[in-house]
Amino acid sequence: MMKLRVLLGASAVAFAAATPALAQTKTVTLAAYSGIFQDHYTKAVIEPFMKAHPDIKVEFYGMPNSAQMLGTLRAQKASPQIDVMIMDVSVSKAATDEGLFDKIDESVSKNVADLYPTARIEGVGGVAVTFDNLVLLYNKDQVKTAPTSWNALWDKQYAGKVTIPAVPDIQGTTLTIIANKMAGQDDYKKTVEPGIKKLGELAPNVQTWDPKPDVYTPIANGQAALGIGWNARAQVYANTSGGKLGVVLPQEGSGFQINTINLVKNAPAGDAAKTFIDYALKPETQAAFTEAMFYAPTNQKAQEKISKEALARTAAGSMDKMIAIDWIAVAGIRDAITEQWRRRVIPLSR
């Protein structure tokens, strides 16, 4: 009987010793884009992170766009349920202004010191975690020779065969800035009048300003011949299109779209959230996601860890061709650009 009591006592002590370890397991809730971004980020980043940090679990809360993420943050301000958020830089600025994010600097992650200068945006709490860029899309059956210039969109032989996501979608905004430069005006902050005029000349070629279910599918299946889209998603869709979807970074260059990673103020996961952010900014992690989904890395040290094949499918090797777009400044003129599109561009399509 005494022996049994000793065994039971030992078991109780062992259970008590194990319980604190179980209680210390933290859950980090990451809010970011749903769909193929969620699929690829989970495999390339989250699963390896949890393997390296078995005491931290990451739950992915997928949402379709940054505006919805901001709305969710606002609703949870008094009692946050989200720890880390990946979203568009202009929306991140709005959230920072509203006091919803803490500052990410070297005290949160030593990797911040290795980011490209454009990855640290004044007035934004977070830092860039991915760079994407606008590309020219084409159907390889209808466009036999890969185009090299954005001017292909204006080619009359493709009248009624071009798909463009109109503003306020930032693909349309980015195209406005590119068209402005093509028309001879580099300073979009001063005026986008030349770009608007040039887009008015493009309008008769446009089949739709609201491609469904996205801009990639109609081009891949031959409903349209040409269009614009984001490189990362375009490269993924190209892989699954059976060789139908072509992707080009035109010779005139392009502009980056920036996704920031942000630390929610009063994040319930505390230091575990910072551990995840630090991991997401590591060069090895950035390289892994570039290999998986062709976003250009924001950590300068990541480039040497990426295969030449993957690097060639990003703008990482063409940084000098990127138009420097200040998305915080663009946010201030976006409504005016949208109004010009509604009055002077969209009505001119067939």
Side-chain angles (χ1 to χ4, degrees):
M1 186 68 173
M2 180 63 71
K3 184 177 181 181
L4 178 60
R5 286 176 180 166
V6 171
L7 289 172
L8 287 171
S11 298
V13 170
F15 179 77
T19 301
L22 291 172
Q24 288 171 8
T25 300
K26 288 281 190 178
T27 297
V28 173
T29 300
L30 167 68
Y33 305 106
S34 52
I36 62 173
F37 183 97
Q38 179 173 350
D39 295 340
H40 287 78
Y41 203 75
T42 297
K43 292 177 182 177
V45 180
I46 294 174
E47 290 176 359
F49 171 81
M50 290 193 295
K51 186 175 181 179
H53 298 272
D55 57 328
I56 302 176
K57 179 184 179 183
V58 178
E59 293 185 349
F60 196 113
Y61 183 32
M63 284 184 269
N65 55 60
S66 297
Q68 186 170 324
M69 294 183 212
L70 179 58
T72 302
L73 270 183
R74 287 168 171 163
Q76 295 181 1
K77 185 174 183 179
S79 181
Q81 304 300 307
I82 295 168
D83 301 290
V84 180
M85 184 166 281
I86 294 175
M87 67 194 323
D88 178 74
V89 64
S90 60
V91 184
S92 177
K93 174 64 164 63
T96 301
D97 290 346
E98 294 178 29
L100 299 173
F101 291 146
D102 280 333
K103 181 71 175 176
I104 295 177
D105 54 22
E106 286 85 345
S107 67
V108 174
S109 170
K110 64 183 185 300
N111 294 301
V112 169
D114 297 324
L115 300 181
Y116 287 103
T118 49
R120 303 178 74 169
I121 304 98
E122 187 176 351
V124 175
V127 295
V129 70
T130 66
F131 290 140
D132 206 354
N133 63 280
L134 203 70
V135 288
L136 182 61
L137 311 173
Y138 67 100
N139 178 278
K140 291 186 177 182
D141 289 337
Q142 298 186 50
V143 184
K144 299 298 184 182
T145 302
T148 59
S149 168
W150 291 109
N151 282 316
L153 295 170
W154 279 261
D155 193 324
K156 298 301 182 184
Q157 68 175 307
Y158 302 117
K161 296 182 179 180
V162 175
T163 62
I164 304 288
V167 294
D169 190 302
I170 63 169
Q171 293 173 91
T173 307
T174 307
L175 183 62
T176 304
I177 294 170
I178 292 170
N180 207 48
K181 183 177 181 181
M182 292 170 67
Q185 176 53 262
D186 290 339
D187 190 355
Y188 59 87
K189 296 178 186 177
K190 181 178 180 181
T191 179
V192 292
E193 173 62 25
I196 293 294
K197 184 178 179 181
K198 188 169 182 63
L199 288 172
E201 296 167 0
L202 168 63
N205 276 11
V206 176
Q207 177 187 106
T208 178
W209 299 104
D210 187 22
K212 301 291 186 182
D214 49 59
V215 70
Y216 314 96
T217 303
I219 297 172
N221 65 24
Q223 287 180 287
L226 291 165
I228 63 171
W230 295 121
N231 179 70
R233 292 174 183 269
Q235 297 291 349
V236 172
Y237 279 106
N239 285 348
T240 60
S241 70
K244 301 293 186 182
L245 180 63
V247 184
V248 171
L249 174 59
Q251 61 191 14
E252 297 92 348
S254 184
F256 276 133
Q257 180 270 336
I258 300 174
N259 284 320
T260 57
I261 189 166
N262 304 276
L263 177 63
V264 176
K265 186 176 288 294
N266 300 318
D271 287 343
K274 296 179 181 180
T275 300
F276 177 76
I277 290 170
D278 179 60
Y279 183 88
L281 296 174
K282 288 174 59 177
E284 295 82 5
T285 307
Q286 293 259 301
F289 194 47
T290 296
E291 295 280 355
M293 202 174 171
F294 310 106
Y295 281 97
T298 61
N299 189 313
Q300 299 177 74
K301 293 183 177 179
Q303 202 157 324
E304 62 194 35
K305 302 177 184 297
I306 301 169
S307 69
K308 291 181 179 179
E309 293 75 17
L311 209 56
R313 298 176 70 179
T314 76
S318 305
M319 302 289 273
D320 58 332
K321 296 176 69 175
M322 293 297 110
I323 300 170
I325 300 178
D326 180 350
W327 286 107
I328 307 308
V330 169
I333 60 175
R334 183 177 295 156
D335 288 347
I337 291 174
T338 300
E339 179 61 23
Q340 290 299 311
W341 268 68
R342 288 174 178 165
R343 289 179 49 233
R344 299 173 54 200
V345 178
I346 294 173
L348 299 180
S349 57
R350 293 177 183 271

